[in-house]
Amino acid sequence: MPVSLRAHHLLCMLTYLGKGYTPAFVSNYSKMIRRLNNGEPILLIEGPDDICRPMLDEKTCHCHNDSVRSRDLLARREIGRVLGNDISAGEEMRWGSRELMLLRRAFANGAIRGGCEGCEWHHFCSQIAQDGFRDCRLQLPPSAGG
């Protein structure tokens, strides 16, 4: 069963260290990362995804905001350019360590940071990239591709 992700969460997962909004959010996010590390595919979706789930009942939930949808659009375009193919909602992807390396390199040099604009975690994630993504939880299997 694929992990449903919105496009800007494809960026967030590159720097995930096990920190987040609430303990429930972190627990859920960590489960999603473990599933990806075990080789489960990604299903790219529009709107709230498996990562958003613990926040959807909160009054301050930002998961439906126009600004977040704009981040998704930018992230999808930039990630597609780096990987050499368009990616769109409804697409199932299997990424491996090669794709992870390409995306982290592009993230560190700013090529795929448009989807991060306005995010409260922007500085935190930038520091993680500057530190070489040390201790990040996402470590995809060597196979996969596409």
Side-chain angles (χ1 to χ4, degrees), residues 82-124:
V82 168
L83 296 179
N85 62 317
D86 291 335
I87 59 173
S88 57
E91 183 175 343
E92 191 170 296
M93 302 172 278
R94 286 195 182 270
W95 291 352
S97 55
R98 177 186 167 277
E99 291 79 11
L100 181 58
M101 185 236 1
L102 287 171
L103 292 172
R104 282 193 171 143
R105 183 181 305 142
F107 188 92
N109 72 28
I112 56 172
R113 296 301 299 273
C116 304
E117 289 302 316
C119 177
E120 66 187 272
W121 297 89
H122 189 280
H123 179 73
F124 181 72

Side-chain angles (χ1 to χ4, degrees), residues 25 42 51 55 66 79 84 94 99 105 134 136 138 146:
F25 179 85
I42 296 166
I51 301 296
M55 299 182 69
D66 287 340
I79 291 167
R94 286 195 182 270
E99 291 79 11
R105 183 181 305 142
R134 188 177 47 235
C136 288
L138 186 66

Side-chain angles (χ1 to χ4, degrees), residues 24-80:
F25 179 85
V26 170
S27 175
N28 180 63
Y29 205 135
S30 294
K31 286 178 191 170
M32 298 307 117
I33 294 295
R34 281 193 299 275
R35 289 175 58 193
L36 293 171
N37 286 343
N38 286 329
E40 290 190 41
I42 296 166
L43 175 63
L44 188 63
I45 66 167
E46 301 265 346
D49 61 9
D50 288 340
I51 301 296
C52 298
R53 188 172 299 126
M55 299 182 69
L56 293 176
D57 292 333
E58 296 178 8
K59 290 181 183 180
T60 59
C61 178
H62 61 269
C63 300
H64 296 285
N65 292 355
D66 287 340
S67 62
V68 178
R69 285 193 290 273
S70 293
R71 282 190 224 149
D72 287 335
L73 179 62
L74 288 168
R76 192 177 70 230
R77 287 178 182 163
E78 292 174 346
I79 291 167

